[in-house]
């Protein structure tokens, strides 16, 4: 099976109007533990941990004490509001496309570890690279260890398509076994013979890739190369077995 991994977004919303049913994150118990640990910290301590402004620290401090992971009503894919998620366009996907992302797409998270698109979540701020020390772990990479990878390869996963940032793919990459292929997609343009990646365009392309895969119902890794949105085209000469490079013309 093909699994696609993406990063979360910092900006989140609650969707009280969602009428479908939400699923339970696989590592909810560990998320509850992290929630308890964060709740012990003062506003000033959290501001230092989050490395954010007073306004954002206050907003997320209030959210931390207003919401609990056990009482989640918003599906993850509908909760994140970043550029990538805007281009996935979950709210306008057809039922067959939503079924596709439910089966094939996974969202990596410092707070939840790994999420299915319809897992219920609460607004949070906890990037994977945050230096949060817990009882038995020096940081979140240590905390999650190989749990994210183990869940990712369940249900006979043979190929992982990496559309996540380096910060999040780092939680999976060290644990890859030979029987599972891990392929990173790079979106850029050729400048003076080198591939140049622009951050915002890459995020847009990742979202468009997820949408394209869902619309085409792509389930084999070779067919990923047919992606042609936003004037991108697969470049065999720049690609390898572990990296698919798409260049914008």
């Amino acid at each position: 099976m093909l699994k696609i991994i993406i990063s979360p977004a910092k900006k989140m919303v609650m969707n009280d109007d969602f009428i479908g049913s939400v699923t339970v994150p696989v590592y909810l118990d560990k998320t509850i533990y992290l929630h308890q640990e964060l709740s012990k910290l003062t506003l000033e301590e959290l501001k230092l941990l989050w490395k954010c402004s007073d306004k954002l620290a206050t907003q997320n401090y209030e959210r931390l004490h207003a919401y609990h992971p056990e009482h989640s009503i918003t599906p993850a894919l509908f909760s994140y509001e970043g550029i990538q998620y805007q281009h996935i366009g979950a709210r306008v996907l057809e039922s067959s496309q939503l079924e596709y992302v439910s089966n094939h797409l996974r969202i990596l998270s410092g707070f939840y570890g790994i999420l299915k698109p319809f897992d219920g979540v609460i607004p949070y701020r906890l990037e994977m690279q945050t230096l949060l020390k817990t009882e038995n772990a020096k940081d979140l990479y240590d905390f999650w260890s190989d749990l994210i990878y183990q869940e990712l390869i369940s249900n006979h996963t043979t190929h992982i398509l990496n559309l996540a940032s380096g910060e999040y793919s780092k939680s999976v990459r060290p644990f890859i076994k030979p029987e599972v292929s891990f392929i990173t997609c790079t979106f850029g343009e050729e400048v003076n013979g080198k591939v140049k990646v622009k951050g915002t365009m890459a995020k847009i392309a990742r979202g468009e890739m997820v949408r394209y895969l869902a619309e085409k119902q792509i389930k084999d890794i070779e067919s990923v190369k047919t992606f042609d949105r936003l004037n991108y085209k697969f470049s065999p000469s720049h690609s390898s077995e572990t990296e698919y490079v798409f260049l914008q013309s």
Side-chain angles (χ1 to χ4, degrees), residues 45-88:
E45 289 172 329
L46 285 167
K47 181 186 172 185
L48 290 173
L49 182 73
W50 288 329
K51 296 180 180 179
C52 64
S53 65
D54 289 342
K55 181 180 178 180
L56 282 174
T58 300
Q59 179 193 50
N60 285 283
Y61 178 83
E62 291 173 350
R63 283 177 164 179
L64 181 65
H65 293 278
Y67 300 111
H68 192 278
E70 283 187 295
H71 307 127
S72 304
I73 57 172
T74 306
L77 191 61
F78 294 78
S79 180
Y80 296 109
E81 277 208 318
I83 295 172
Q84 178 178 217
Y85 290 85
Q86 293 170 22
H87 284 265
I88 292 173

Side-chain angles (χ1 to χ4, degrees), residues 22-46:
V22 296
T23 47
V24 178
V26 65
Y27 296 129
L28 182 61
D29 58 335
K30 297 186 78 65
T31 300
I32 291 171
Y33 170 77
L34 289 176
H35 184 267
Q36 292 170 343
E37 292 300 296
L38 290 170
S39 297
K40 295 175 184 177
L41 302 178
T42 65
L43 176 59
E44 281 303 312
E45 289 172 329
L46 285 167

Side-chain angles (χ1 to χ4, degrees), residues 16-207:
D16 297 331
D17 300 326
F18 184 74
I19 58 175
S21 58
V22 296
T23 47
V24 178
V26 65
Y27 296 129
L28 182 61
D29 58 335
K30 297 186 78 65
T31 300
I32 291 171
Y33 170 77
L34 289 176
H35 184 267
Q36 292 170 343
E37 292 300 296
L38 290 170
S39 297
K40 295 175 184 177
L41 302 178
T42 65
L43 176 59
E44 281 303 312
E45 289 172 329
L46 285 167
K47 181 186 172 185
L48 290 173
L49 182 73
W50 288 329
K51 296 180 180 179
C52 64
S53 65
D54 289 342
K55 181 180 178 180
L56 282 174
T58 300
Q59 179 193 50
N60 285 283
Y61 178 83
E62 291 173 350
R63 283 177 164 179
L64 181 65
H65 293 278
Y67 300 111
H68 192 278
E70 283 187 295
H71 307 127
S72 304
I73 57 172
T74 306
L77 191 61
F78 294 78
S79 180
Y80 296 109
E81 277 208 318
I83 295 172
Q84 178 178 217
Y85 290 85
Q86 293 170 22
H87 284 265
I88 292 173
R91 287 172 177 78
V92 295
L93 291 180
E94 298 175 359
S95 58
S96 62
Q97 295 160 2
L98 287 171
E99 183 178 359
Y100 176 91
V101 295
S102 180
N103 291 330
H104 296 275
L105 182 67
R106 297 295 180 265
I107 303 166
L108 308 186
S109 165
F111 191 52
Y112 287 96
I114 185 168
L115 291 161
K116 297 182 179 73
F118 289 94
D119 282 349
V121 298
I122 59 172
Y124 67 91
R125 186 181 182 92
L126 194 65
E127 296 173 64
M128 189 65 80
Q129 60 189 3
T130 302
L131 295 176
L132 176 65
K133 293 182 181 179
T134 53
E135 185 177 356
N136 297 311
K138 61 183 179 180
D139 57 23
L140 290 173
Y141 293 109
D142 191 24
F143 178 82
W144 290 112
S145 185
D146 70 339
L147 289 175
I148 296 173
Y149 175 72
Q150 291 303 328
E151 174 60 21
L152 193 57
I153 63 168
S154 61
N155 298 323
H156 310 291
T157 297
T158 53
H159 302 284
I160 298 171
L161 187 68
N162 176 30
L163 296 176
S165 66
E167 172 190 351
Y168 285 92
S169 59
K170 184 180 173 183
S171 66
V172 175
R173 194 184 295 273
F175 307 104
I176 300 294
K177 300 294 190 293
E179 61 270 20
V180 178
S181 68
F182 185 82
I183 300 166
T184 298
C185 283
T186 298
F187 301 95
E189 55 184 88
E190 190 171 11
V191 179
N192 297 324
K194 294 183 179 180
V195 177
K196 185 176 182 180
V197 177
K198 295 181 180 178
T200 300
M201 281 304 300
K203 290 178 182 178
I204 292 172
R206 288 168 183 161

Side-chain angles (χ1 to χ4, degrees), residues 213-231:
L213 297 174
E215 288 178 356
K216 302 296 183 181
Q217 299 284 300
I218 288 176
K219 298 175 182 177
D220 65 286
I221 197 68
E222 274 296 309
S223 295
V224 172
K225 297 175 181 179
T226 62
F227 175 74
D228 59 359
R229 302 281 167 88
L230 306 173
N231 293 320

